[in-house]
Amino acid sequence: MRKFVVLIALLLGMTLVSLGQNQQLQIMSYNVRHCAGMDLVIDYDRTAAVIVQQQPDVVALQELDSMTGRSGNRDQLGELASRTGYHPVFGAAIEFNGGLYGVGILSREMPVSTKRIPLPGEEPRVLLVAELEDYVIACTHLDLDKAQRLASVPLIVEEAQQWQKPFLLVGDWNDTPDSELLEVMTQHFTVLTGDEATYPADEPIECIDYVAAFNGCAEAIGSLVIDEPEASDHRPLVVWMRLR
C-alpha cells in the first residue's frame, strides 16, 4: 500500500512539473504616457478599461507618474491597481515635478519578490523585476539614445542569468525590429511579438514595444496590437505564450 501511495505521489509530481512547463500566459506591454490620452487628458478609468477588457495575467507599464504635480499628486499605478484589482509594483527611474517617474507592473498574482536595477540613459532608466511563482517578469523603458540602449543590454542579460525561472522582458525599447539593438538583444532573448506598429497610437508607423523570453524559455502562441487609438500615444501590445 505504501509503495502504491509513493508511486501516485511521484506521478502527480511529474504531472505538476509538466503542467508548469507548459503553463500558458497572457502578457501585456503598455506605454501609458502618464495616463494621458491623445487628447492629453489624464483619465485613469480609460486606461484601466484597456487592461480590464483584455484581462492579461501581467501588464508591464511605462511612463508612470507617482505623486507628481503634473498628475495632481496622485499615485498613478495605485489608481490603476484599484480599478483593475491587480497587485502593483512601481519602479522609479527619476525624480520629477515634485514626485517620481518610472515604470510599473500589475499582476493578478502577488509577487514573491521585487527589485529595481538602474540602467544607463541620458534620462536615467530602470529595470523593474517581479518574481512570480513560476516565472519572472521584467519591465523597462530604454533610452532614446542608441548608445545608452545598447549599454543596457549586458545589465539586463546579467540579471536574467541570475534566475532559475523563466525570465520575460517586456517594455518600450525605443527601437525597431531591424535595429542594432534588436540584433544584439536577440542573441539572448527570443522576441515573442511580431513587427506590427505600436506608435503613435492614432496612426501607428513604428514597432518599438516588445515582449521577449530569455534563452527561449517561452514560445509564442499569438500576439496582437490592440486597436486602441486614444487612451495613450502607444497602442497596447499583448502576447499569448507557453512557458517551457
Side-chain angles (χ1 to χ4, degrees):
M1 180 65 179
R2 182 177 179 182
K3 290 182 178 180
F4 177 75
V5 171
V6 171
L7 178 61
I8 293 297
L10 287 172
L11 290 173
L12 178 60
M14 292 171 64
T15 301
L16 290 173
V17 168
S18 176
L19 287 172
Q21 290 174 341
N22 291 283
Q23 181 179 355
Q24 293 188 18
L25 298 171
Q26 181 188 170
I27 305 295
M28 175 186 285
S29 180
Y30 198 11
N31 183 323
V32 295
R33 190 170 67 166
H34 63 278
C35 299
M38 295 300 286
D39 56 6
L40 302 182
V41 174
I42 294 176
D43 187 336
Y44 301 115
D45 290 333
R46 178 170 59 183
T47 304
V50 177
I51 300 169
V52 171
Q53 182 176 15
Q54 195 60 40
Q55 292 290 303
D57 293 287
V58 180
V59 53
L61 302 160
Q62 303 88 48
E63 296 195 16
L64 286 166
D65 283 355
S66 176
M67 309 306 289
T68 69
R70 175 173 65 180
S71 61
N73 299 311
R74 305 280 284 274
D75 172 8
Q76 291 199 319
L77 188 62
E79 296 286 346
L80 296 177
S82 67
R83 288 164 169 80
T84 60
Y86 284 52
H87 298 285
V89 180
F90 179 71
I94 60 171
E95 294 182 358
F96 175 74
N97 197 206
L100 300 170
Y101 177 71
V103 300
I105 292 172
L106 291 173
S107 59
R108 288 182 177 280
E109 175 189 337
M110 174 75 78
V112 176
S113 67
T114 64
K115 64 194 300 188
R116 173 191 168 279
I117 300 165
L119 295 179
E122 294 185 355
E123 175 189 294
R125 305 287 166 151
V126 67
L127 181 71
L128 177 63
V129 181
E131 178 192 6
L132 301 173
E133 184 176 355
D134 296 319
Y135 60 99
V136 178
I137 187 158
C139 174
T140 194
H141 183 189
L142 297 181
D143 197 65
L144 292 171
D145 180 74
K146 175 182 176 181
Q148 303 291 355
R149 291 195 297 273
L150 290 170
S152 298
V153 177
L155 299 175
I156 295 171
V157 171
E158 181 181 4
E159 175 61 25
Q161 290 172 335
Q162 305 303 311
W163 294 95
Q164 299 303 310
K165 297 179 179 182
F167 186 96
L168 306 173
L169 178 64
V170 186
D172 178 352
W173 297 0
N174 266 321
D175 225 330
T176 55
D178 59 352
S179 65
E180 183 179 354
L181 174 71
L182 268 290
E183 181 181 351
V184 174
M185 194 73 87
T186 53
Q187 295 175 16
H188 309 280
F189 287 87
T190 301
V191 175
L192 303 178
T193 45
D195 56 4
E196 186 177 352
T198 56
Y199 177 86
D202 53 351
E203 295 182 6
I205 58 173
E206 291 186 310
C207 172
I208 57 176
D209 300 278
Y210 301 91
V211 178
F214 184 64
N215 279 346
C217 65
E219 60 180 343
I221 300 172
S223 65
L224 173 69
V225 174
I226 298 171
D227 183 11
E228 172 46 69
E230 298 178 354
S232 174
D233 63 343
H234 285 239
R235 292 196 176 190
L237 173 66
V238 174
V239 62
W240 293 265
M241 68 180 72
R242 182 179 296 109
L243 297 182
R244 287 174 170 165

